[in-house]
Amino acid sequence: MRTKVQNRKNKKIMGRSPIENHADLRIGVVEFIAPDDIKVQLDLEAPDGIAANAGVPREFPRINSYVLIPNEGGHIVCQVEWINIERSSFPKRKGYQDYGLIDLPFPMRKMKVAPLGILKINAQEEFKFQRGVHSFPSIGSPVLIPTDLQLKSIVESGSNRRVYIGNSPLTANAEVRIDPDRLFGRHLAVLGNTGSGKSCTVAGIIQWSLEATEQGDNANSRFIILDPNGEYAKVFGNKAKILKVGGKDENCLEVPLWLWNSEEWRAFTQAKPGAQLPLLKRALRAMRNEELEFHVDPNLKAKKFVGIILQATVASENRGEPFQGFPHNKNFTERLIIWLNSLESFVLENDQLLNPLIERIRGLIDEHRDEQQNGWINYSEYTIVEIDDLIVEMRHSYTNLGGGENELYPKNEDLPIPFEGDVFLSYLEALAQETGNEQYLEFLIARIRTLLGDSRMDSIIGDETEKELDKWLDRYLGNAVTKSITIIDLSLVPAEIVHVTTSVISRIVFEALQRYRKLNKKVLPSVLVMEEAHSFITRYNDNTDGNTSSICTKAFEKIAREGRKFGLGLVLSSQRPSELSPTVLSQCNSYILHRISNDRDQELVGRLLPDNFRGLLRELPSLPSQKAVLLGWASELPILMKVRDLPFKNRPQSDDPDFWDVWTRKDLKGEKVIREVDWKKISDDWQERN
């Protein structure tokens, strides 16, 4: 036992604090100090198995547990990284027997701790933890074992801790709560081996977040879960909308072709940048601008042409080209001659729709193109008034032909404007013949023909899918009436289009929220959850850039970089973090780490933490199911926690196969386990639904 003199000395060192009457909390002294490394020599009387001096019996010393070092600002909170026994001379202090000339070896216990922050006390004598250390202790400072109250104050620190997700076994079973704004707003990654509890953690966080709102079905929440294995169908009961291949009516997964942008079309068709890609984009622009009718309606064709020359004239005037002398006036005159020939070639029922414009252009040409006797042609300069009058006449003709101001500028090939897949294919074939590029477009057209002819994909991308963008968004993103949990079952999506389908859904959701903020000046908070993220957000290099996998990854990289600004949070779940895109993983500010045994994955995860927290990650290979490490923006400090229990009915369907129960035809309770096999039923469903 420590002497009374020592006890009084310890009280003096600790100063006035709620623990000033607990001198027995001391376990050692500081013997070495560095900014991220403090070594402690444990007292001889410090407990070596169970500590009973902290209010309740507690295991001590223990890796990753907490200790306190008093200083003028409160108490420095440190985490134990390692514990060691060093051989030293037998202590010869007052009160100990001197064994004479023989210097006997004596084991001294030491440990290394990493400073995390400061535990302060306010006027109400309540502990408050603050991350970061600005004043380090000195050599000889006492090291204390914290009480239960102090441990809970450390773990339960922070504001807006609205969602309860687990307990910390190392800190008196304190509740681990998080702020959903921090957790979802700056992206979350849930990483761990198969069977470590990732899916249950993701499902639990969603359910516990909704429960914490106390709004029930009136909660205005949005979760879009991309589910590659069909695990989440039963998690939320009838509270979630499940979209899957072959579903009926509103439950059918539909990602129509007209939602695809030019990059997604390029990735699927493998269009080369030489001749294929420009013609593919030209065909997409034609679909967006409904140009097919121009071949049968001369008025529409004339309207489009007048719109084009109107834009070109306005652009020339803005650049000042017709007024800058030779060669600009010459070039503009020659351009007028070409336009005149084209306008005169249109055969309209009412010639007066174009005649005034034709006469205006012919008059300008005659006035500014004077052919001399020696064969030279003189091109005079144009005045601003002449160009303005020409633009007015062009606008008048464009309006008479049925054109509106919103139609003047052609629509981009990436706009989500509906078109028919068969019509697109026919137009592309005609375009190939018109340009003489049949041999270059043969493979591309064959890919599109195969896509349209595959019955497995028909229900997803076919012409019978949704044709209105607002209704599609309402199905996938929901509205403001009730909470929206949309589970997108990708398990039966053909492998040829699964990455494109995932890319289109995530991109459209992101761009819809971008436009929501643009129009409403506020964001619409939504969460996009990606299960098995390593299969869809993979690393890529220049050699793989342009395929469907890299296109999918790029969509998520953009969400990871910019989603927070538009209210879109990202939740990733993966068993192979080393295969994830570094860009996406680096943008995740919060992590929940389950058991990770692969050395490459451990090495990557280790880079997420500063060196003084590496000790916590050493437990990852041995973590049991349901145990995890919470770290990052959502937590004031890294915490080893036990995730809350999730009722069996609310767990994703990702349990390990019950081989033994099926083999023996009974479970542990002695109840019969029968798995009937009807391959006829399966084959019929397979052949009908493909």
Side-chain angles (χ1 to χ4, degrees):
M1 295 294 293
R2 189 179 292 113
T3 64
K4 293 182 179 179
V5 175
Q6 289 172 317
N7 288 340
R8 286 197 297 270
K9 182 179 179 181
N10 291 339
K11 290 181 183 180
K12 185 177 180 181
I13 292 175
M14 287 185 285
R16 294 185 57 81
S17 75
I19 63 171
E20 64 179 352
N21 297 322
H22 297 278
D24 287 339
L25 294 174
R26 167 174 160 154
I27 56 174
V29 295
V30 175
E31 70 168 10
F32 174 81
I33 300 174
D36 58 352
D37 182 9
I38 298 176
K39 289 185 180 179
V40 176
Q41 179 174 309
L42 296 178
D43 291 339
L44 294 175
E45 299 91 350
D48 58 0
I50 301 294
N53 56 350
V56 295
R58 184 183 304 135
E59 291 185 18
F60 183 86
R62 187 174 179 182
I63 295 293
N64 293 326
S65 61
Y66 300 104
V67 295
L68 304 178
I69 303 176
N71 73 348
E72 63 274 13
H75 294 82
I76 300 176
V77 179
C78 300
Q79 192 171 42
V80 179
E81 284 197 346
W82 58 257
I83 303 170
N84 192 21
I85 294 179
E86 293 184 3
R87 300 296 177 180
S88 61
S89 300
F90 193 88
K92 297 178 175 62
R93 293 187 296 171
K94 185 177 179 181
Y96 291 94
Q97 183 178 357
D98 188 347
Y99 287 92
L101 298 176
I102 302 176
D103 189 10
L104 297 175
F106 188 81
M108 294 296 295
R109 290 177 299 157
K110 297 185 179 182
M111 64 183 184
K112 177 182 173 183
V113 298
L116 303 178
I118 300 293
L119 189 65
K120 298 182 178 181
I121 186 169
N122 57 21
Q124 292 77 31
E125 293 194 350
E126 296 175 340
F127 289 109
K128 296 295 182 183
F129 176 77
Q130 179 180 339
R131 184 71 179 271
V133 177
H134 55 80
S135 177
F136 288 88
S138 60
I139 299 295
S141 296
V143 179
L144 315 175
I145 185 171
T147 64
D148 285 355
L149 177 60
Q150 291 169 324
L151 285 174
K152 288 188 177 182
S153 300
I154 295 170
V155 174
E156 296 176 358
S157 58
S159 58
N160 300 325
R161 301 172 63 255
R162 299 181 174 98
V163 182
Y164 165 45
I165 64 171
N167 297 83
S168 175
L170 291 178
T171 54
N173 216 33
E175 289 187 351
V176 178
R177 293 178 174 270
I178 50 94
D179 178 3
D181 290 344
R182 285 190 168 196
L183 189 73
F184 298 122
R186 296 196 178 184
H187 312 316
L188 167 68
V190 183
L191 310 175
N193 290 355
T194 301
S196 59
K198 300 187 307 300
S199 298
C200 287
T201 298
V202 172
I205 287 176
I206 296 173
Q207 294 194 56
W208 301 326
S209 299
L210 296 177
E211 291 172 2
T213 63
E214 298 180 354
Q215 299 294 321
D217 292 336
N218 195 38
N220 188 19
S221 58
R222 273 164 197 81
F223 288 91
I224 303 102
I225 304 173
L226 297 167
D227 182 13
N229 298 323
E231 299 177 3
Y232 286 79
K234 69 182 186 70
V235 170
F236 303 99
N238 57 2
K239 298 179 181 179
K241 181 187 300 180
I242 303 173
L243 304 178
K244 59 182 180 180
V245 177
K248 295 182 179 179
D249 301 327
E250 293 188 354
N251 291 327
C252 182
L253 174 62
E254 295 181 349
V255 186
L257 293 174
W258 56 269
L259 281 178
W260 298 18
N261 66 15
S262 58
E263 282 299 301
E264 287 149 355
W265 274 105
R266 178 179 70 89
F268 176 79
T269 59
Q270 301 176 19
K272 299 297 185 290
Q276 295 178 341
L277 185 58
L279 291 176
L280 177 65
K281 290 187 175 183
R282 179 177 169 183
L284 287 172
R285 278 195 298 272
M287 296 299 103
R288 311 300 189 189
N289 289 277
E290 301 175 352
E291 292 182 0
L292 291 178
E293 298 180 14
F294 298 152
H295 295 285
V296 296
D297 190 335
N299 276 35
L300 291 176
K301 191 173 182 179
K303 180 186 75 172
K304 177 174 176 57
F305 182 78
V306 174
I308 291 174
I309 64 175
L310 173 58
Q311 294 175 62
T313 306
V314 171
S316 297
E317 184 185 42
N318 292 338
R319 293 192 297 265
E321 288 180 356
F323 326 119
Q324 294 176 355
F326 186 85
H328 297 287
N329 56 347
K330 173 179 180 289
N331 293 339
F332 189 73
T333 303
E334 292 177 345
R335 193 184 305 173
L336 288 177
I337 294 172
I338 296 174
W339 291 350
L340 178 63
N341 294 334
S342 298
L343 289 171
E344 289 177 339
S345 66
F346 292 118
V347 179
L348 305 180
E349 294 182 1
N350 186 355
D351 293 337
Q352 292 303 314
L353 295 175
L354 285 179
N355 280 347
L357 177 59
I358 291 174
E359 293 301 322
R360 170 72 64 175
I361 293 176
R362 184 180 289 120
L364 283 174
I365 294 172
D366 293 341
E367 186 174 343
H368 291 273
R369 186 179 182 276
D370 183 17
E371 187 171 350
Q372 305 296 325
Q373 293 181 352
N374 57 7
W376 291 94
I377 299 177
N378 180 44
Y379 296 94
S380 59
E381 295 186 1
Y382 293 83
T383 65
I384 296 177
V385 175
E386 288 177 328
I387 300 300
D388 286 343
D389 289 343
L390 176 61
I391 291 175
V392 170
E393 193 62 57
M394 286 181 174
R395 289 187 184 277
H396 184 67
S397 297
Y398 184 72
T399 303
N400 288 341
L401 289 166
E405 192 67 28
N406 60 338
E407 301 178 58
L408 186 57
Y409 297 98
K411 296 173 182 176
N412 186 276
E413 63 266 16
D414 293 333
L415 288 180
I417 298 174
F419 61 82
E420 303 289 340
D422 292 338
V423 175
F424 174 62
L425 179 61
S426 300
Y427 185 91
L428 195 59
E429 291 175 333
L431 192 61
Q433 295 177 358
E434 178 184 336
T435 57
N437 289 307
E438 297 97 329
Q439 58 178 337
Y440 299 109
L441 294 182
E442 183 178 355
F443 176 75
L444 185 147
I445 291 174
R447 289 274 294 175
I448 298 176
R449 185 178 290 111
T450 302
L451 174 69
L452 298 176
D454 195 331
S455 58
R456 299 175 303 157
M457 309 178 191
D458 190 56
S459 63
I460 305 173
I461 63 173
D463 291 338
E464 300 302 321
T465 55
E466 182 63 63
K467 290 294 194 300
E468 298 181 47
L469 182 59
D470 59 330
K471 292 182 179 179
W472 191 94
L473 292 173
D474 187 71
R475 289 179 60 200
Y476 286 74
L477 269 169
N479 49 53
V481 178
T482 60
K483 64 183 176 184
S484 173
I485 303 176
T486 305
I487 300 172
I488 301 174
D489 187 345
L490 302 170
S491 58
L492 293 179
V493 176
E496 295 90 337
I497 62 169
V498 66
H499 285 91
V500 176
T501 299
T502 307
S503 173
V504 171
I505 293 173
S506 56
R507 177 182 57 80
I508 292 292
V509 167
F510 173 66
E511 293 183 0
L513 295 178
Q514 279 184 310
R515 283 157 178 79
Y516 181 93
R517 194 190 75 165
K518 174 186 175 182
L519 297 176
N520 296 278
K521 310 304 179 185
K522 294 180 180 179
V523 299
L524 183 66
S526 306
V527 180
L528 183 64
V529 181
M530 183 71 252
E531 270 285 347
E532 302 292 341
H534 53 275
S535 298
F536 296 88
I537 313 175
T538 58
R539 291 172 175 266
Y540 64 89
N541 51 42
D542 294 338
N543 295 329
T544 59
D545 188 14
N547 59 23
T548 56
S549 178
S550 64
I551 289 297
C552 185
T553 300
K554 287 182 178 179
F556 281 96
E557 286 180 344
K558 187 170 185 179
I559 293 173
R561 289 192 302 264
E562 306 173 21
R564 181 184 63 85
K565 306 171 189 175
F566 304 101
L568 182 57
L570 189 60
V571 176
L572 308 178
S573 175
S574 174
Q575 56 187 275
R576 289 305 308 272
S578 60
E579 295 181 3
L580 287 172
S581 163
T583 300
V584 175
L585 197 58
S586 65
Q587 293 296 322
C588 293
N589 281 261
S590 299
Y591 301 88
I592 296 179
L593 308 178
H594 287 269
R595 180 176 65 254
I596 297 178
S597 56
N598 184 276
D599 55 349
R600 286 185 59 195
D601 296 331
Q602 290 178 24
E603 180 183 356
L604 183 139
V605 170
R607 301 193 197 117
L608 304 176
L609 286 178
D611 290 338
N612 56 341
F613 291 148
R614 294 291 175 88
L616 193 63
L617 297 182
R618 296 191 185 103
E619 291 200 19
L620 290 181
S622 57
L623 282 178
S625 295
Q626 208 175 349
K627 295 288 183 66
V629 177
L630 170 67
L631 57 95
W633 182 245
S635 175
E636 293 293 326
L637 73 167
I639 300 173
L640 179 63
M641 69 171 182
K642 178 179 181 292
V643 182
R644 283 178 61 184
D645 291 326
L646 196 64
F648 181 79
K649 65 178 182 179
N650 298 127
R651 297 178 188 173
Q653 196 172 352
S654 58
D655 297 333
D656 293 333
D658 49 348
F659 287 99
W660 188 253
D661 291 349
V662 175
W663 290 353
T664 59
R665 300 181 183 273
K666 61 181 179 181
D667 58 17
L668 295 176
K669 298 179 181 178
E671 298 180 1
K672 290 185 178 180
V673 176
I674 300 176
R675 301 287 165 84
E676 296 181 353
V677 178
D678 186 351
W679 293 118
K680 175 63 176 173
K681 181 179 179 181
I682 293 174
S683 63
D684 290 344
D685 180 79
W686 193 346
Q687 293 168 340
E688 289 175 6
R689 298 180 181 274
N690 292 295

